[in-house]
Amino acid sequence: MDDIIAACMTYEGALSEPEDFPKSEEPVWILGKKYSTQTELEPLRNDVQSRIWLTYRRNFAQISDTTFTSDRGWGCMLRCGQMVLAEALLRRHLGRDWIWTPAESSDTYLRIMSMFEDHKCATFSLHIISQLGVDEGKPIGEWYGPNTVAQVMRKLTPFDEWNNFSVNVAMDNVVIMDEIRCSCQIEGERIWRPLLLFIPLRLGLSEMNPIYFSGLKNCFKMPQSLGLIGGKPNHASYFIGFMGDELVYLDPHTTQEAGSIAKKLTEEEVELDKSYHISCAQRMPFEHLDPSLALCFFCGSEKEFDDLCNRMRQELIDAEKTPLFELVPTRPDYMKDDSSFEGASGINVEFEDHQLDSDDDEEFEVLQ
């Protein structure tokens, strides 16, 4: 782990002073918010801790007809997908400025958390996500890439009537504005369905091309940003910001006990809730990021979507010699007969994830 600047977790107790954010002139950007490590270190850490941290779990009910009672060693990208969904739920119901505390027990928060419990009845559980992944050609227990996770999330959200998300996966590096807008508008009603947008990208062959670093940084600065999912070979992480030339991320490679926080009425439930909030993030150099990743954005209103498109045009396309992706008002002619393309329509897509090779994922894991 020599390429990772070590994180300290509350339960490790190895360091008296966290090394997550050293004091620096460089600002830290976390999901659209800017912090100074010299004057805003505590608010910064509170913001990071308020993100829902979903990790490997063990001793849950077996998944479908398999023998899996833990996702250790294979579920990291699924957990990253869950973290994106969790962040979208927080953004929709509690707002970007919401801060978690150990005493948090609002009905809205508890309902959000219940959706990620590890059993087949939870809306966004590993059990259901894994089963939907089978339809995308990924057997239960196999490692997922970022595109496959995005496709599974698209299939999963129609079962969630509470949030009524419109999930769009912009394929072929093209974001088609009118199709996304159409998918978010309910016919005959002036109601906007909250948008969860995934943009799967391949920014290099085997290594990240440095020409894209500035574009990725600009993504994290946008208020609509939900970060990105990607990582290293067979070692997926959820990236929530950056500091200088280093990414800030949440690492799912910690195995913890499965369970339910329910109403947080018992000491055990309160302690379990704490396991979903890490006290310090980790940092990793941009150049160590695998080139296969997916950008994630949330727009709770049409006004926010219009603002996102303007920001993308100005900060990611017009300002960059090599843009991360294309932003077009309507589907280009060359894509109209492309049956493998999927935008807002929900047509099945044949898109192979970048295969990441690794001898052993467990070397990255922290066992509880």
Side-chain angles (χ1 to χ4, degrees):
M1 300 180 67
D2 55 349
D3 60 334
I4 296 177
I5 299 175
C8 56
M9 304 176 194
T10 54
Y11 44 75
E12 285 184 319
L15 297 173
S16 58
E17 178 62 26
E19 294 185 354
D20 50 348
F21 300 112
K23 289 187 177 181
S24 169
E25 296 290 336
E26 294 276 7
V28 180
W29 285 91
I30 301 292
L31 301 178
K33 298 186 76 170
K34 182 180 180 181
Y35 294 95
S36 165
T37 58
Q38 297 179 329
T39 60
E40 299 174 297
L41 193 54
E42 184 176 354
L44 167 58
R45 287 175 174 158
N46 289 340
D47 192 8
V48 169
Q49 189 174 35
S50 297
R51 316 287 49 90
I52 296 176
W53 180 46
L54 294 157
T55 71
Y56 290 158
R57 295 278 167 172
R58 59 171 174 254
N59 296 326
F60 49 65
Q62 68 182 47
I63 300 175
S64 188
D65 58 354
T66 72
T67 59
F68 288 112
T69 58
S70 172
D71 58 318
R72 171 186 170 186
W74 59 270
C76 56
M77 186 61 83
L78 300 186
R79 297 300 186 180
C80 291
Q82 285 183 316
M83 283 191 270
V84 172
L85 273 176
E87 183 60 30
L89 290 171
L90 292 180
R91 201 74 62 91
R92 172 155 167 66
H93 295 287
L94 298 174
R96 179 63 186 89
D97 295 330
W98 173 81
I99 294 296
W100 175 86
T101 69
E104 176 65 59
S105 60
S106 68
D107 290 342
T108 299
Y109 172 73
L110 294 177
R111 183 173 183 178
I112 290 172
M113 295 303 297
S114 71
M115 302 180 85
F116 297 94
E117 293 177 358
D118 293 304
H119 56 77
K120 64 181 181 180
C121 295
T123 308
F124 299 139
S125 68
L126 184 83
H127 294 60
I128 293 179
I129 294 173
S130 299
Q131 193 61 53
L132 288 175
V134 173
D135 297 335
E136 291 292 326
K138 293 290 185 179
I140 296 172
E142 185 172 320
W143 195 88
Y144 286 48
N147 174 68
T148 301
V149 167
Q151 300 294 347
V152 170
M153 295 304 159
R154 178 187 58 79
K155 290 186 173 183
L156 181 63
T157 50
F159 300 101
D160 171 31
E161 296 182 358
W162 181 39
N163 297 288
N164 195 27
F165 283 135
S166 173
V167 178
N168 282 252
V169 182
M171 300 303 299
D172 292 356
N173 295 2
V174 181
V175 176
I176 306 173
M177 292 185 287
D178 71 338
E179 293 188 0
I180 293 174
R181 192 184 306 277
C182 182
S183 76
C184 293
Q185 294 173 333
I186 299 176
E187 187 174 355
E189 301 181 38
R190 299 189 65 179
I191 298 175
W192 177 268
R193 296 174 59 200
L195 168 66
L196 178 52
L197 174 63
F198 291 92
I199 309 177
L201 300 172
R202 183 68 181 277
L203 305 179
L205 295 176
S206 59
E207 296 181 352
M208 175 68 69
N209 190 329
I211 199 171
Y212 297 113
F213 291 172
S214 63
L216 292 177
K217 290 180 180 181
N218 284 334
C219 288
F220 287 117
K221 295 179 180 180
M222 297 180 181
Q224 298 87 351
S225 174
L226 293 181
L228 67 86
I229 52 177
K232 300 188 307 176
N234 278 6
H235 185 78
S237 296
Y238 176 38
F239 296 86
I240 60 173
F242 73 96
M243 178 181 183
D245 293 324
E246 296 170 335
L247 289 151
V248 177
Y249 68 100
L250 304 182
D251 188 347
H253 297 81
T254 296
T255 304
Q256 305 184 88
E257 198 71 18
S260 170
I261 67 172
K263 299 296 184 181
K264 288 183 68 173
L265 299 177
T266 68
E267 183 177 346
E268 181 181 2
E269 291 169 352
V270 170
E271 288 303 310
L272 185 63
D273 182 43
K274 292 179 182 178
S275 74
Y276 290 98
H277 297 275
I278 192 168
S279 62
C280 341
Q282 293 181 246
R283 306 194 319 279
M284 182 180 81
F286 269 88
E287 59 263 29
H288 291 166
L289 181 64
D290 191 88
S292 181
L293 53 86
L295 303 175
C296 311
F297 299 93
F298 174 79
C299 298
S301 67
E302 187 171 11
K303 182 179 179 180
E304 291 180 8
F305 177 65
D306 291 339
D307 180 68
L308 175 64
C309 291
N310 288 335
R311 290 174 184 270
M312 286 179 169
R313 173 67 62 189
Q314 295 172 13
E315 301 167 25
L316 300 182
I317 297 176
D318 293 346
E320 298 290 334
K321 291 183 179 179
T322 307
L324 294 168
F325 52 83
E326 290 184 71
L327 178 69
V328 297
T330 60
R331 182 182 290 266
D333 290 339
Y334 70 85
M335 296 179 69
K336 289 182 179 178
D337 297 325
D338 185 358
S339 61
S340 70
F341 177 84
E342 177 185 0
S345 61
I347 300 171
N348 190 37
V349 60
E350 295 296 331
F351 185 92
E352 184 176 358
D353 280 307
H354 172 40
Q355 181 60 47
L356 304 177
D357 298 319
S358 179
D359 294 332
D360 187 3
D361 183 50
E362 294 182 16
E363 66 176 300
F364 301 107
E365 183 186 1
V366 179
L367 292 177
Q368 280 277 78

